[in-house]
Amino acid sequence: MALGEPEGYDEHGRARPLGERVRSRTAAAAACVVLGVGLIGGAVTGSWLTGDDGGTGAPRGFAAASTLWHSVPVDRLFPPTVQGTGAGPGGADRTWTRIAVAPDSGCAGAFDPLLRKALAPVGCDRLLRATYTDATQSYVTTVGLLFAKADAPAMSALATRFRTEGLDRRTDLMPRPYAAKGTVAAAFGDRGRASWTIHVLTEAPVIVYAVSGWADGRTVDTPQPASDALRAGADTAVAQAGLGNEAQGLADRIERGLRRDNAGTATEKPS
């Protein structure tokens, strides 16, 4: 039918048979129904993909993330090998190899007292940790995933406090390393902490952190947060060695994997 053509007539201006007109109207109505269902279905699918719960509270993905520590295999949370394309100083590539995974546990003994106090408002359900080394085995980095007990507002409040008060840059709030015996990280103790990063997520009850140091166990007198070590012109020993890159680069990639796993969980339909 041409644009603007009267419904009951054909392209030559002749009246259409009654039956043909009825069939045309029926087909048009059916098309509207299909279009309406498609739009509704698209909206629902969109909410699954984005984790939106339709305005009834926190996103579904937030609740789903709290179960990832036992529903996702450790090799996905902490892959045996992590590629860090462009993650090194000057955009150099990095490859990290996992050398140890700590048994899942609570947070007792895993943090210095002041950091434990700072994290206390969100609680600790489970703590997962793994230690990696670079391709030259010169550096070691412990990365951790703290699964909190808090709800979304509490996580947002903690994230705001860390950001506004600079808690992620204080040397008295550094996370502790996991120095696994019998590995190149065996000498990676508290006094060997060189650089670190802490990220409080707001879309999941998770805190991602990493702390790096030299594999030979040398003492670091002046640790430097990764955010400072990565700044242009940073000339400290920590920055020039790329230890800020080690902590930030590995934490970023473990966090990306966690987000992918959480997105997959959030889009699963209930059975």
Side-chain angles (χ1 to χ4, degrees), residues 10 47 72 75 105 107 156 162 171 179 218 225 227 239-240 259 266:
D10 62 17
S47 69
V72 175
D75 283 351
S105 65
C107 291
S156 293
F162 262 72
T171 55
R218 73 183 72 176
S227 57
Q240 292 186 342
R259 290 176 184 275

Side-chain angles (χ1 to χ4, degrees), residues 8-242:
Y9 297 86
D10 62 17
E11 66 274 17
H12 301 295
R14 295 190 295 266
R16 294 181 182 275
L18 178 60
E20 184 177 340
R21 279 179 277 167
V22 170
R23 286 194 300 273
S24 176
R25 291 170 181 168
T26 302
C32 290
V33 171
V34 171
L35 177 60
V37 171
L39 291 174
I40 294 172
V44 172
T45 301
S47 69
W48 284 330
L49 292 176
T50 60
D52 187 4
D53 69 347
T56 59
R60 291 174 182 152
F62 186 94
S66 65
T67 68
L68 293 177
W69 67 269
H70 64 78
S71 62
V72 175
V74 67
D75 283 351
R76 284 230 308 270
L77 291 173
F78 299 125
T81 302
V82 177
Q83 299 297 329
T85 303
D93 295 340
R94 279 286 192 264
T95 299
W96 295 285
T97 301
R98 191 185 71 198
I99 56 177
V101 177
D104 65 89
S105 65
C107 291
F111 302 109
D112 287 344
L114 283 179
L115 181 55
R116 184 170 65 247
K117 182 178 180 180
L119 299 175
V122 298
C124 176
D125 186 20
R126 271 295 188 277
L127 177 64
L128 307 183
R129 295 172 292 167
T131 298
Y132 288 78
T133 188
D134 69 307
T136 67
Q137 296 193 349
S138 300
Y139 313 116
V140 284
T141 303
T142 293
V143 60
L145 298 173
L146 189 164
F147 287 81
K149 297 179 179 179
D151 56 14
M155 293 300 294
S156 293
L158 185 64
T160 298
R161 186 183 176 209
F162 262 72
R163 182 177 64 255
T164 58
E165 298 181 22
L167 301 187
D168 56 342
R169 301 179 63 253
R170 285 175 44 170
T171 55
D172 57 353
L173 295 178
M174 285 190 295
R176 284 177 173 168
Y178 174 59
K181 295 180 179 179
T183 72
V184 297
F188 186 23
D190 289 350
R191 297 184 65 189
R193 292 176 288 185
S195 192
W196 75 99
T197 181
I198 303 174
H199 186 197
V200 181
L201 305 188
T202 56
E203 70 277 25
V206 181
I207 297 169
V208 183
Y209 69 85
V211 56
S212 62
W214 276 275
D216 61 11
R218 73 183 72 176
T219 298
V220 179
D221 294 326
T222 310
Q224 188 175 33
S227 57
D228 289 352
L230 290 173
R231 288 178 180 171
D235 59 359
T236 63
V238 170
Q240 292 186 342

